[in-house]
Coordinates of all heavy atoms in Angstrom, one line a residue:
M1 N 27.9 -36.3 -6.6 CA 27.9 -37.3 -7.7 C 29.3 -37.3 -8.4 O 29.8 -38.4 -8.7 CB 26.8 -36.9 -8.7 CG 26.8 -37.8 -9.9 SD 26.2 -39.4 -9.4 CE 26.0 -40.2 -10.9
L2 N 29.9 -36.2 -8.6 CA 31.3 -36.2 -9.2 C 32.3 -36.9 -8.3 O 33.1 -37.6 -8.8 CB 31.7 -34.7 -9.5 CG 32.9 -34.5 -10.3 CD1 32.7 -35.2 -11.7 CD2 33.2 -33.1 -10.6
T3 N 32.2 -36.7 -7.0 CA 33.1 -37.4 -6.1 C 32.9 -38.9 -6.2 O 33.9 -39.6 -6.2 CB 32.8 -36.9 -4.6 OG1 33.0 -35.5 -4.6 CG2 33.8 -37.5 -3.7
L4 N 31.7 -39.4 -6.2 CA 31.4 -40.8 -6.4 C 32.0 -41.3 -7.7 O 32.5 -42.4 -7.7 CB 29.9 -41.0 -6.3 CG 29.5 -42.5 -6.4 CD1 30.1 -43.3 -5.2 CD2 28.0 -42.6 -6.3
M5 N 31.9 -40.6 -8.8 CA 32.4 -41.0 -10.0 C 33.9 -41.1 -10.0 O 34.5 -42.0 -10.4 CB 32.0 -40.1 -11.2 CG 32.5 -40.5 -12.5 SD 32.2 -39.4 -13.9 CE 30.5 -38.9 -13.6
G6 N 34.6 -40.1 -9.3 CA 36.0 -40.1 -9.1 C 36.5 -41.3 -8.3 O 37.5 -42.0 -8.6
F7 N 35.7 -41.6 -7.3 CA 36.0 -42.8 -6.4 C 35.9 -44.1 -7.2 O 36.8 -45.0 -7.2 CB 35.1 -42.8 -5.2 CG 35.3 -44.1 -4.4 CD1 36.4 -44.1 -3.5 CD2 34.5 -45.1 -4.4 CE1 36.6 -45.3 -2.7 CE2 34.7 -46.3 -3.7 CZ 35.8 -46.3 -2.8
A8 N 34.9 -44.2 -8.0 CA 34.6 -45.4 -8.8 C 35.8 -45.6 -9.9 O 36.3 -46.7 -10.1 CB 33.3 -45.4 -9.5
I9 N 36.2 -44.5 -10.5 CA 37.3 -44.6 -11.5 C 38.6 -45.0 -10.8 O 39.4 -45.8 -11.3 CB 37.4 -43.3 -12.3 CG1 36.2 -43.1 -13.2 CG2 38.7 -43.3 -13.1 CD1 36.1 -41.8 -13.9
G10 N 38.8 -44.4 -9.6 CA 40.0 -44.8 -8.8 C 40.0 -46.2 -8.4 O 41.0 -46.9 -8.5
A11 N 38.9 -46.7 -8.0 CA 38.8 -48.1 -7.6 C 39.0 -49.0 -8.8 O 39.7 -50.0 -8.7 CB 37.4 -48.4 -7.0
A12 N 38.5 -48.6 -10.0 CA 38.7 -49.4 -11.2 C 40.2 -49.4 -11.6 O 40.7 -50.4 -12.1 CB 37.8 -48.9 -12.3
A13 N 40.8 -48.3 -11.4 CA 42.3 -48.2 -11.7 C 43.1 -49.1 -10.8 O 44.2 -49.5 -11.2 CB 42.7 -46.8 -11.6
G14 N 42.6 -49.4 -9.6 CA 43.3 -50.3 -8.8 C 43.2 -51.7 -9.3 O 44.1 -52.6 -9.0
L15 N 42.2 -52.0 -10.1 CA 42.1 -53.4 -10.7 C 42.8 -53.4 -12.1 O 43.5 -54.4 -12.4 CB 40.6 -53.7 -10.9 CG 39.8 -53.7 -9.6 CD1 38.3 -53.9 -9.9 CD2 40.3 -54.8 -8.7
R16 N 42.6 -52.4 -12.9 CA 43.2 -52.3 -14.2 C 43.7 -50.9 -14.4 O 43.1 -50.0 -14.0 CB 42.2 -52.6 -15.3 CG 41.6 -54.0 -15.2 CD 42.5 -55.0 -15.9 NE 42.0 -56.4 -15.7 CZ 42.8 -57.3 -15.3 NH1 44.1 -57.1 -15.2 NH2 42.3 -58.5 -15.0
S17 N 44.9 -50.8 -15.1 CA 45.4 -49.4 -15.3 C 44.8 -48.7 -16.5 O 44.6 -47.5 -16.4 CB 46.9 -49.5 -15.6 OG 47.6 -50.1 -14.5
M18 N 44.4 -49.4 -17.5 CA 44.0 -48.7 -18.7 C 42.4 -48.6 -18.8 O 41.9 -47.7 -19.5 CB 44.4 -49.5 -20.0 CG 45.9 -49.5 -20.1 SD 46.7 -47.8 -20.2 CE 45.9 -47.1 -21.6
A19 N 41.7 -49.4 -18.1 CA 40.2 -49.4 -18.2 C 39.7 -48.0 -17.8 O 38.8 -47.5 -18.5 CB 39.6 -50.5 -17.3
P20 N 40.1 -47.4 -16.7 CA 39.5 -46.1 -16.3 C 39.8 -45.1 -17.4 O 38.9 -44.2 -17.6 CB 40.2 -45.8 -15.0 CG 40.6 -47.0 -14.4 CD 41.0 -47.9 -15.6
L21 N 41.0 -45.1 -18.0 CA 41.3 -44.1 -19.1 C 40.3 -44.3 -20.2 O 39.9 -43.3 -20.8 CB 42.7 -44.3 -19.5 CG 43.8 -43.9 -18.4 CD1 45.2 -44.2 -18.9 CD2 43.6 -42.5 -18.0
A22 N 40.1 -45.6 -20.6 CA 39.1 -45.8 -21.7 C 37.7 -45.3 -21.4 O 37.0 -44.7 -22.2 CB 39.1 -47.3 -22.0
I23 N 37.3 -45.6 -20.1 CA 36.0 -45.2 -19.7 C 35.8 -43.7 -19.8 O 34.9 -43.1 -20.3 CB 35.7 -45.7 -18.3 CG1 35.5 -47.2 -18.3 CG2 34.4 -45.1 -17.7 CD1 35.5 -47.9 -17.0
V24 N 36.8 -43.0 -19.3 CA 36.8 -41.5 -19.3 C 36.8 -41.0 -20.7 O 36.1 -40.0 -21.0 CB 38.0 -40.9 -18.5 CG1 38.2 -39.4 -18.7 CG2 37.8 -41.2 -17.0
A25 N 37.6 -41.6 -21.6 CA 37.6 -41.1 -23.0 C 36.3 -41.3 -23.7 O 35.9 -40.4 -24.4 CB 38.7 -41.9 -23.8
W26 N 35.6 -42.4 -23.4 CA 34.2 -42.5 -24.0 C 33.3 -41.5 -23.4 O 32.5 -40.9 -24.1 CB 33.7 -44.0 -23.8 CG 34.4 -45.0 -24.7 CD1 35.3 -45.9 -24.4 CD2 34.2 -45.1 -26.1 NE1 35.7 -46.6 -25.5 CE2 35.0 -46.1 -26.6 CE3 33.4 -44.4 -27.0 CZ2 35.1 -46.5 -27.9 CZ3 33.5 -44.8 -28.4 CH2 34.3 -45.8 -28.8
A27 N 33.3 -41.3 -22.1 CA 32.4 -40.4 -21.4 C 32.7 -39.0 -21.8 O 31.8 -38.1 -21.9 CB 32.5 -40.6 -19.9
A28 N 34.0 -38.6 -22.0 CA 34.4 -37.2 -22.3 C 33.8 -36.7 -23.6 O 33.7 -35.5 -23.8 CB 35.9 -37.1 -22.3
Q29 N 33.4 -37.6 -24.4 CA 32.8 -37.2 -25.7 C 31.5 -36.4 -25.5 O 31.2 -35.6 -26.4 CB 32.6 -38.4 -26.6 CG 33.9 -39.0 -27.0 CD 33.7 -40.3 -27.9 OE1 32.7 -40.4 -28.6 NE2 34.7 -41.2 -27.8
S30 N 30.9 -36.6 -24.4 CA 29.6 -35.9 -24.2 C 29.7 -34.9 -23.1 O 28.7 -34.3 -22.7 CB 28.5 -36.9 -23.9 OG 28.8 -37.6 -22.7
W31 N 30.9 -34.7 -22.6 CA 31.0 -33.6 -21.5 C 31.3 -32.3 -22.2 O 32.3 -32.1 -22.9 CB 32.2 -34.0 -20.6 CG 32.0 -35.2 -19.7 CD1 30.8 -35.8 -19.4 CD2 33.0 -35.9 -19.0 NE1 31.0 -36.8 -18.6 CE2 32.3 -37.0 -18.4 CE3 34.4 -35.8 -18.9 CZ2 33.0 -37.9 -17.6 CZ3 35.0 -36.8 -18.2 CH2 34.4 -37.8 -17.5
P32 N 30.4 -31.3 -22.0 CA 30.5 -30.1 -22.8 C 31.7 -29.2 -22.4 O 32.3 -28.6 -23.3 CB 29.2 -29.3 -22.4 CG 28.7 -30.0 -21.1 CD 29.3 -31.4 -21.1
G33 N 32.2 -29.2 -21.2 CA 33.3 -28.3 -20.9 C 34.7 -28.8 -21.2 O 35.6 -28.0 -21.2
V34 N 34.8 -30.0 -21.6 CA 36.1 -30.6 -21.9 C 36.7 -30.1 -23.2 O 37.9 -30.0 -23.3 CB 36.0 -32.2 -21.9 CG1 37.4 -32.8 -22.1 CG2 35.5 -32.6 -20.5
H35 N 35.9 -29.8 -24.1 CA 36.4 -29.4 -25.5 C 37.3 -28.1 -25.5 O 38.1 -27.9 -26.4 CB 35.2 -29.2 -26.4 CG 34.5 -30.4 -26.7 ND1 34.9 -31.4 -27.5 CD2 33.3 -30.9 -26.1 CE1 34.0 -32.4 -27.5 NE2 33.1 -32.1 -26.7
E36 N 37.2 -27.3 -24.4 CA 38.0 -26.1 -24.4 C 39.1 -26.2 -23.4 O 39.7 -25.2 -22.9 CB 37.1 -24.9 -23.9 CG 36.0 -24.5 -25.0 CD 34.8 -25.4 -24.9 OE1 34.5 -25.9 -23.7 OE2 34.1 -25.6 -25.9
T37 N 39.5 -27.4 -23.0 CA 40.6 -27.6 -22.0 C 41.8 -28.3 -22.7 O 41.7 -28.8 -23.8 CB 40.1 -28.4 -20.8 OG1 39.9 -29.8 -21.3 CG2 38.8 -27.8 -20.2
P38 N 42.9 -28.4 -21.9 CA 44.0 -29.1 -22.5 C 43.7 -30.6 -22.6 O 44.5 -31.4 -23.3 CB 45.1 -28.9 -21.4 CG 44.8 -27.6 -20.8 CD 43.3 -27.6 -20.8
L39 N 42.7 -31.1 -22.0 CA 42.3 -32.5 -22.1 C 41.3 -32.8 -23.3 O 40.7 -33.8 -23.4 CB 41.7 -33.0 -20.8 CG 42.6 -33.0 -19.6 CD1 41.8 -33.4 -18.4 CD2 43.8 -33.9 -19.9
A40 N 41.2 -31.8 -24.2 CA 40.3 -32.0 -25.3 C 40.6 -33.2 -26.2 O 39.7 -33.8 -26.8 CB 40.3 -30.7 -26.2
F41 N 41.8 -33.6 -26.2 CA 42.2 -34.8 -27.0 C 41.4 -36.1 -26.5 O 41.2 -37.0 -27.2 CB 43.7 -35.1 -26.9 CG 44.2 -35.6 -25.6 CD1 44.3 -37.0 -25.4 CD2 44.5 -34.7 -24.6 CE1 44.8 -37.4 -24.1 CE2 45.0 -35.2 -23.4 CZ 45.1 -36.5 -23.2
M42 N 41.0 -36.0 -25.2 CA 40.2 -37.2 -24.7 C 38.8 -37.3 -25.3 O 38.2 -38.3 -25.2 CB 40.1 -37.1 -23.2 CG 41.4 -37.3 -22.4 SD 42.0 -38.9 -22.5 CE 41.0 -39.7 -21.3
T43 N 38.4 -36.2 -26.0 CA 37.0 -36.2 -26.6 C 37.0 -36.8 -28.0 O 36.0 -37.1 -28.5 CB 36.4 -34.8 -26.6 OG1 37.2 -34.0 -27.5 CG2 36.4 -34.2 -25.2
A44 N 38.2 -37.1 -28.5 CA 38.3 -37.6 -29.9 C 37.9 -39.1 -29.9 O 38.4 -39.8 -29.0 CB 39.7 -37.4 -30.5
P45 N 37.1 -39.5 -30.8 CA 36.7 -40.9 -30.8 C 37.9 -41.9 -31.0 O 38.0 -43.0 -30.4 CB 35.8 -41.0 -32.1 CG 35.2 -39.7 -32.2 CD 36.3 -38.7 -31.8
I46 N 39.0 -41.4 -31.7 CA 40.1 -42.3 -31.9 C 40.9 -42.5 -30.6 O 41.4 -43.6 -30.4 CB 41.1 -41.7 -33.0 CG1 42.2 -42.7 -33.3 CG2 41.7 -40.4 -32.5 CD1 41.8 -43.9 -34.1
T47 N 40.8 -41.5 -29.7 CA 41.4 -41.7 -28.4 C 40.7 -42.8 -27.6 O 41.3 -43.6 -27.0 CB 41.4 -40.4 -27.6 OG1 42.1 -39.4 -28.4 CG2 42.1 -40.5 -26.3
A48 N 39.4 -42.7 -27.7 CA 38.6 -43.8 -27.0 C 38.9 -45.1 -27.5 O 39.0 -46.1 -26.7 CB 37.1 -43.4 -27.0
W49 N 39.0 -45.3 -28.8 CA 39.2 -46.6 -29.4 C 40.6 -47.1 -29.1 O 40.8 -48.3 -28.8 CB 39.0 -46.5 -31.0 CG 37.6 -46.5 -31.4 CD1 36.9 -45.5 -31.9 CD2 36.7 -47.6 -31.3 NE1 35.6 -45.8 -32.1 CE2 35.4 -47.1 -31.7 CE3 36.8 -48.9 -30.8 CZ2 34.3 -47.9 -31.8 CZ3 35.6 -49.7 -30.9 CH2 34.4 -49.2 -31.3
I50 N 41.6 -46.2 -29.1 CA 43.0 -46.6 -28.8 C 43.1 -47.1 -27.4 O 43.7 -48.1 -27.0 CB 44.0 -45.5 -29.1 CG1 44.1 -45.3 -30.6 CG2 45.4 -45.8 -28.5 CD1 44.9 -44.1 -31.1
L51 N 42.5 -46.3 -26.4 CA 42.6 -46.6 -25.0 C 41.8 -47.9 -24.7 O 42.2 -48.7 -23.9 CB 42.1 -45.5 -24.2 CG 43.0 -44.3 -24.1 CD1 42.4 -43.1 -23.4 CD2 44.3 -44.6 -23.5
T52 N 40.7 -48.1 -25.5 CA 39.9 -49.4 -25.3 C 40.8 -50.6 -25.8 O 40.8 -51.6 -25.1 CB 38.6 -49.3 -26.1 OG1 37.8 -48.2 -25.6 CG2 37.8 -50.6 -26.0
A53 N 41.5 -50.4 -26.9 CA 42.4 -51.5 -27.3 C 43.5 -51.8 -26.3 O 43.8 -52.9 -26.0 CB 43.0 -51.1 -28.7
F54 N 44.0 -50.7 -25.7 CA 45.1 -50.9 -24.7 C 44.5 -51.6 -23.5 O 45.1 -52.5 -22.9 CB 45.6 -49.6 -24.2 CG 46.6 -48.9 -25.2 CD1 46.9 -47.6 -25.1 CD2 47.2 -49.7 -26.2 CE1 47.8 -47.0 -26.0 CE2 48.1 -49.1 -27.1 CZ 48.4 -47.8 -27.0
A55 N 43.3 -51.2 -23.1 CA 42.6 -51.9 -21.9 C 42.4 -53.4 -22.2 O 42.6 -54.2 -21.4 CB 41.3 -51.2 -21.6
A56 N 41.9 -53.7 -23.4 CA 41.7 -55.1 -23.8 C 43.0 -55.9 -23.8 O 43.1 -57.0 -23.4 CB 41.0 -55.2 -25.2
G57 N 44.0 -55.2 -24.4 CA 45.4 -55.9 -24.4 C 45.9 -56.1 -23.0 O 46.5 -57.2 -22.8
E58 N 45.7 -55.2 -22.1 CA 46.1 -55.3 -20.7 C 45.4 -56.5 -20.1 O 46.0 -57.3 -19.4 CB 45.8 -54.1 -19.9 CG 46.2 -54.2 -18.5 CD 45.8 -53.0 -17.7 OE1 44.8 -52.3 -18.0 OE2 46.5 -52.7 -16.6
L59 N 44.1 -56.6 -20.3 CA 43.3 -57.7 -19.8 C 43.8 -59.1 -20.3 O 44.0 -60.0 -19.5 CB 41.8 -57.5 -20.1 CG 40.9 -58.6 -19.6 CD1 40.8 -58.6 -18.1 CD2 39.5 -58.4 -20.1
I60 N 44.1 -59.2 -21.6 CA 44.6 -60.4 -22.1 C 46.0 -60.7 -21.6 O 46.3 -61.8 -21.2 CB 44.5 -60.3 -23.7 CG1 43.1 -60.3 -24.2 CG2 45.3 -61.5 -24.3 CD1 42.9 -59.9 -25.6
A61 N 46.9 -59.7 -21.7 CA 48.2 -59.9 -21.2 C 48.3 -60.3 -19.8 O 49.2 -61.1 -19.4 CB 49.1 -58.7 -21.5
D62 N 47.4 -59.8 -19.0 CA 47.4 -60.2 -17.5 C 47.2 -61.6 -17.3 O 47.6 -62.2 -16.2 CB 46.4 -59.3 -16.8 CG 46.6 -59.3 -15.3 OD1 47.8 -59.4 -14.9 OD2 45.6 -59.2 -14.6
K63 N 46.6 -62.3 -18.2 CA 46.3 -63.7 -18.1 C 47.4 -64.7 -18.5 O 47.4 -65.9 -18.3 CB 45.0 -64.1 -18.9 CG 43.8 -63.3 -18.5 CD 43.4 -63.4 -17.1 CE 42.2 -62.5 -16.8 NZ 42.0 -62.3 -15.4
L64 N 48.5 -64.1 -19.1 CA 49.6 -64.9 -19.6 C 50.5 -65.3 -18.5 O 50.7 -64.5 -17.5 CB 50.4 -64.1 -20.7 CG 49.5 -63.7 -21.9 CD1 50.4 -62.8 -22.8 CD2 49.1 -64.9 -22.7
P65 N 51.1 -66.5 -18.5 CA 51.8 -67.0 -17.4 C 53.2 -66.3 -17.2 O 53.7 -66.3 -16.0 CB 52.1 -68.5 -17.8 CG 51.9 -68.5 -19.3 CD 50.9 -67.5 -19.6
F66 N 53.7 -65.6 -18.2 CA 55.0 -65.0 -18.0 C 54.9 -63.5 -17.5 O 55.9 -62.9 -17.3 CB 55.9 -65.1 -19.2 CG 55.2 -64.5 -20.5 CD1 55.3 -63.2 -20.8 CD2 54.5 -65.4 -21.3 CE1 54.7 -62.7 -21.9 CE2 53.9 -64.9 -22.4 CZ 54.0 -63.5 -22.7
I67 N 53.7 -63.0 -17.3 CA 53.5 -61.6 -16.9 C 53.7 -61.6 -15.3 O 53.2 -62.5 -14.6 CB 52.1 -61.1 -17.2 CG1 51.9 -61.1 -18.7 CG2 51.9 -59.8 -16.6 CD1 52.8 -60.2 -19.5
P68 N 54.5 -60.7 -14.8 CA 54.7 -60.7 -13.3 C 53.5 -60.3 -12.5 O 52.5 -59.8 -13.1 CB 55.8 -59.6 -13.2 CG 55.7 -58.7 -14.4 CD 55.2 -59.6 -15.5
S69 N 53.5 -60.6 -11.3 CA 52.4 -60.3 -10.4 C 52.1 -58.8 -10.3 O 53.0 -58.0 -10.4 CB 52.7 -60.9 -9.0 OG 51.7 -60.4 -8.1
R70 N 50.8 -58.5 -10.2 CA 50.4 -57.1 -10.0 C 50.9 -56.5 -8.7 O 50.8 -55.3 -8.5 CB 48.9 -56.9 -10.2 CG 48.4 -57.2 -11.6 CD 46.9 -57.0 -11.7 NE 46.2 -57.8 -10.8 CZ 44.9 -57.6 -10.4 NH1 44.3 -56.5 -10.8 NH2 44.3 -58.4 -9.6
L71 N 51.3 -57.4 -7.8 CA 51.7 -56.9 -6.5 C 53.3 -56.7 -6.4 O 53.8 -56.3 -5.4 CB 51.3 -57.9 -5.4 CG 49.8 -58.1 -5.3 CD1 49.5 -59.2 -4.2 CD2 49.1 -56.8 -5.0
D72 N 54.0 -56.9 -7.5 CA 55.4 -56.6 -7.6 C 55.5 -55.1 -7.6 O 54.5 -54.4 -8.0 CB 56.0 -57.2 -8.9 CG 56.2 -58.7 -8.8 OD1 56.1 -59.2 -7.7 OD2 56.5 -59.3 -9.8
P73 N 56.6 -54.5 -7.2 CA 56.7 -53.0 -7.1 C 56.4 -52.2 -8.3 O 55.6 -51.2 -8.2 CB 58.2 -52.8 -6.7 CG 58.6 -54.1 -6.0 CD 57.8 -55.2 -6.7
G74 N 56.9 -52.6 -9.5 CA 56.6 -51.9 -10.7 C 55.1 -51.8 -11.0 O 54.5 -50.7 -11.2
P75 N 54.4 -52.9 -11.2 CA 53.0 -52.8 -11.5 C 52.2 -52.2 -10.4 O 51.2 -51.5 -10.6 CB 52.6 -54.3 -11.7 CG 53.8 -55.0 -12.0 CD 54.9 -54.3 -11.3
L76 N 52.6 -52.4 -9.2 CA 51.8 -51.8 -8.0 C 51.9 -50.3 -8.0 O 50.9 -49.6 -7.9 CB 52.4 -52.4 -6.7 CG 51.6 -52.0 -5.4 CD1 50.2 -52.5 -5.5 CD2 52.3 -52.5 -4.2
V77 N 53.1 -49.7 -8.3 CA 53.2 -48.3 -8.4 C 52.4 -47.7 -9.6 O 51.8 -46.7 -9.4 CB 54.7 -47.9 -8.5 CG1 54.9 -46.4 -8.8 CG2 55.4 -48.2 -7.2
T78 N 52.5 -48.4 -10.7 CA 51.7 -48.0 -11.9 C 50.2 -47.9 -11.5 O 49.6 -46.9 -11.9 CB 51.9 -48.9 -13.1 OG1 53.3 -49.0 -13.3 CG2 51.2 -48.5 -14.3
R79 N 49.7 -48.9 -10.9 CA 48.3 -48.9 -10.5 C 48.0 -47.8 -9.6 O 46.9 -47.1 -9.6 CB 47.9 -50.2 -10.0 CG 47.8 -51.3 -11.1 CD 47.2 -52.6 -10.7 NE 46.7 -52.8 -9.3 CZ 47.3 -53.5 -8.4 NH1 48.5 -54.1 -8.6 NH2 46.8 -53.6 -7.2
A80 N 48.8 -47.6 -8.6 CA 48.6 -46.5 -7.6 C 48.6 -45.1 -8.2 O 47.8 -44.3 -7.9 CB 49.7 -46.6 -6.5
V81 N 49.6 -44.9 -9.2 CA 49.6 -43.6 -9.8 C 48.4 -43.3 -10.7 O 47.9 -42.3 -10.7 CB 51.0 -43.5 -10.6 CG1 51.0 -42.2 -11.5 CG2 52.1 -43.4 -9.6
S82 N 48.1 -44.4 -11.5 CA 46.9 -44.2 -12.4 C 45.6 -44.0 -11.7 O 44.7 -43.4 -12.2 CB 46.8 -45.3 -13.4 OG 46.4 -46.5 -12.8
G83 N 45.5 -44.5 -10.5 CA 44.3 -44.4 -9.7 C 44.3 -43.2 -8.7 O 43.3 -42.9 -8.1
G84 N 45.4 -42.5 -8.7 CA 45.5 -41.4 -7.7 C 44.7 -40.2 -8.2 O 44.3 -40.1 -9.4
P85 N 44.5 -39.2 -7.3 CA 43.7 -38.0 -7.7 C 44.5 -37.2 -8.7 O 45.7 -37.1 -8.6 CB 43.5 -37.3 -6.3 CG 44.7 -37.8 -5.5 CD 45.0 -39.2 -5.9
G86 N 43.8 -36.6 -9.6 CA 44.5 -35.8 -10.6 C 44.6 -34.3 -10.2 O 44.3 -33.4 -11.0
V87 N 45.0 -34.0 -9.0 CA 45.0 -32.7 -8.5 C 46.4 -32.1 -8.8 O 47.4 -32.6 -8.8 CB 44.8 -32.6 -7.0 CG1 44.2 -31.2 -6.7 CG2 44.0 -33.7 -6.5

C-alpha cells in the first residue's frame, strides 16, 4: 500500500510540483510516527495551509499566457526532482 501511495504522489508531482507536498502535509497530521522525525514540521496545520496556497497559486499561474511551458528545461527538472524518490 505504501508503495502505491508513493507512486501516486510521484505521478501527481509530474503534473504539479506543489500539490503532492500539500497532500502529504495534510495527511502527515494523522501519521503517528512523523511527530518524532525531522519532518515533524509537515504535521503543523500552518504548513498544510501554506503548501495548499502555493499549490493553488501554481495552478492559477500555470494558466497565465506569459508562464513558460512545463516542458522547458527549468520547469521539467523541477517536476522531476519533486516527484523523485526521497531516498
Side-chain angles (χ1 to χ4, degrees):
M1 180 65 173
L2 191 56
T3 304
L4 182 60
M5 185 185 313
F7 176 78
I9 291 172
L15 300 173
R16 299 276 172 227
S17 301
M18 297 303 299
L21 295 174
I23 292 167
V24 168
W26 285 108
Q29 294 177 28
S30 63
W31 292 342
V34 178
H35 296 282
E36 294 83 30
T37 70
L39 294 176
F41 71 94
M42 291 292 281
T43 64
I46 189 69
T47 303
W49 283 109
I50 290 171
L51 290 173
T52 300
F54 285 164
E58 178 187 27
L59 179 64
I60 293 166
D62 196 32
K63 305 301 179 194
L64 299 175
F66 55 86
I67 300 295
S69 169
R70 294 185 297 159
L71 299 178
D72 287 348
L76 186 62
V77 169
T78 302
R79 288 189 2 254
V81 168
S82 72
V87 208

